[in-house]
Amino acid sequence: MDFDTVAGELYGGDLAEFVSARNAAAKAAKAEGDAELAARIRDLRKPTTAAAIVNRLAREDPGELRELAELGDELRDAHTRLAGDDLRALTRRRGDLVRRIRHGLPSMSDSVAREVEATLEAVAADPGTAALALAGRLTSVAHQDTDQWFTLAASAPPSTGKRPAKLVEKAEPAKPKKAEKAEKDRRREEAERAERERARAERERLRKEAAELAKERAVAERDLVRTERAAEQATARVEDLRERLAEAEERAERATAEHEKAREAFDKADSAAAKAQEAADAAR
């Protein structure tokens, strides 16, 4: 028995049987004398429903999940280069891919669907989350501030008071005396300003939406942790009672066997006493 094999079987198995299977594996490791392995297995967290769905996707059809992780690498590279056009295009691809993956999954409740989408977004946002997802080892939605750099894709890079390098390179040398050139510059600046305003409004909307979803997820996760602990305690209690019942049944069997032996000995002694008494009465 080794840790990776056990973890793979647990996270690839039936979610409803995760706790009992984990406890059984930990108990088996302890019985084999490997207390450290038993402790590591016992510490494995039961995945949420959404995480289990993504884990199953990683095992059954990992292609789109891998594409999402690679898209996250491209987004990070574009962000580092402050490539606004690339960021916008990649963000649209990310949204399309997340929706395509989501629509290809089995039917689920709205709350689980939102958490699945949040998990997929986290796969693109964080390399660590992506690695866990591709390995099929996710336990819950990652605590990841995806707005930190994803929302930059909806707008041009932050203004520095100068036009972006690409625009400067493409522009002709300034000719302030030509009214036509000045008018083009003015219109371009107005368009850029309007684009920044639209991006800022969209960023604010997404942040508010993310904050609301984060609150809902936090409440749901607290409830999940509470019920999971209660279920684990109940399972442990049931296992303890089963062990005690087995011990009691074993003691009862031993007591019954001893009672039968005592009954046989009593019957023999009683029979012998009766015969002795008959012999004594006949000798009178």
Side-chain angles (χ1 to χ4, degrees), residues 2-12 18 40 44-48 51-52 54-56 58-59 65 119 128-140:
D2 65 87
F3 180 77
D4 285 335
T5 300
V6 172
E9 292 175 352
L10 288 174
Y11 287 109
F18 182 91
R40 291 184 68 191
L44 289 173
R45 288 190 58 188
K46 179 181 178 180
T48 63
V54 176
N55 288 339
R56 186 164 59 248
R59 287 173 170 80
L65 203 60
T119 302
T129 302
L132 285 174
L134 290 171
R137 303 287 179 84
L138 281 176
T139 58
S140 64

Side-chain angles (χ1 to χ4, degrees), residues 21-254:
R22 179 193 60 193
N23 292 345
K27 188 174 182 179
K30 186 176 181 180
E32 292 177 1
D34 196 335
E36 182 179 354
L37 176 59
R40 291 184 68 191
I41 294 173
R42 197 177 298 111
D43 288 339
L44 289 173
R45 288 190 58 188
K46 179 181 178 180
T48 63
T49 301
I53 290 172
V54 176
N55 288 339
R56 186 164 59 248
L57 177 65
R59 287 173 170 80
E60 297 176 354
D61 187 14
E64 289 182 324
L65 203 60
R66 188 175 295 108
E67 181 182 351
L68 186 62
E70 292 172 353
L71 184 58
D73 293 336
E74 294 181 43
L75 276 162
R76 282 185 287 277
D77 177 66
H79 175 62
T80 300
R81 293 185 288 106
L82 296 179
D85 291 342
D86 290 346
L87 282 168
R88 282 188 286 274
L90 290 169
T91 296
R92 285 193 294 271
R93 281 181 53 196
R94 173 185 62 93
D96 291 342
L97 181 55
V98 168
R99 284 189 291 273
R100 188 167 72 244
I101 294 174
R102 165 65 187 87
H103 291 158
L105 296 174
S107 178
M108 62 191 75
S109 67
D110 290 342
S111 60
V112 173
R114 285 195 297 270
E115 191 171 354
V116 167
E117 290 182 2
T119 302
L120 293 173
E121 297 244 357
V123 169
D126 177 51
T129 302
L132 285 174
L134 290 171
R137 303 287 179 84
L138 281 176
T139 58
S140 64
V141 177
H143 296 280
Q144 177 70 28
D145 183 11
T146 57
D147 187 58
Q148 181 179 3
W149 56 272
F150 268 142
T151 54
L152 291 176
S155 64
S159 174
T160 61
K162 300 179 181 179
R163 283 183 293 169
K166 283 188 175 181
L167 296 178
V168 172
E169 292 170 2
K170 293 180 180 179
E172 297 177 357
K175 297 179 180 179
K177 293 182 179 180
K178 292 187 178 181
E180 184 179 352
K181 176 60 178 176
E183 179 64 16
K184 287 182 179 179
D185 289 344
R186 185 185 65 80
R187 289 177 181 176
R188 182 170 58 250
E189 290 174 359
E190 287 181 353
E192 291 175 354
R193 187 160 50 251
E195 175 66 18
R196 287 195 295 271
E197 289 300 323
R198 285 194 296 271
R200 189 178 298 110
E202 177 65 8
R203 184 164 58 250
E204 184 62 24
R205 183 188 69 79
L206 290 174
R207 283 176 176 169
K208 288 181 180 179
E209 182 179 344
E212 290 300 321
L213 290 176
K215 289 179 182 178
E216 293 180 9
R217 190 199 59 75
V219 172
E221 187 169 21
R222 283 197 298 270
D223 291 341
L224 176 66
V225 171
R226 176 179 55 79
T227 55
E228 180 179 323
R229 288 176 179 172
E232 290 178 353
Q233 291 173 355
T235 300
R237 177 62 174 163
V238 168
E239 291 180 355
D240 180 59
L241 291 173
R242 283 176 178 167
E243 292 179 357
R244 293 169 63 184
L245 175 61
E247 292 175 357
E249 289 176 342
E250 185 179 350
R251 288 197 299 271
E253 289 177 358
R254 289 199 300 268

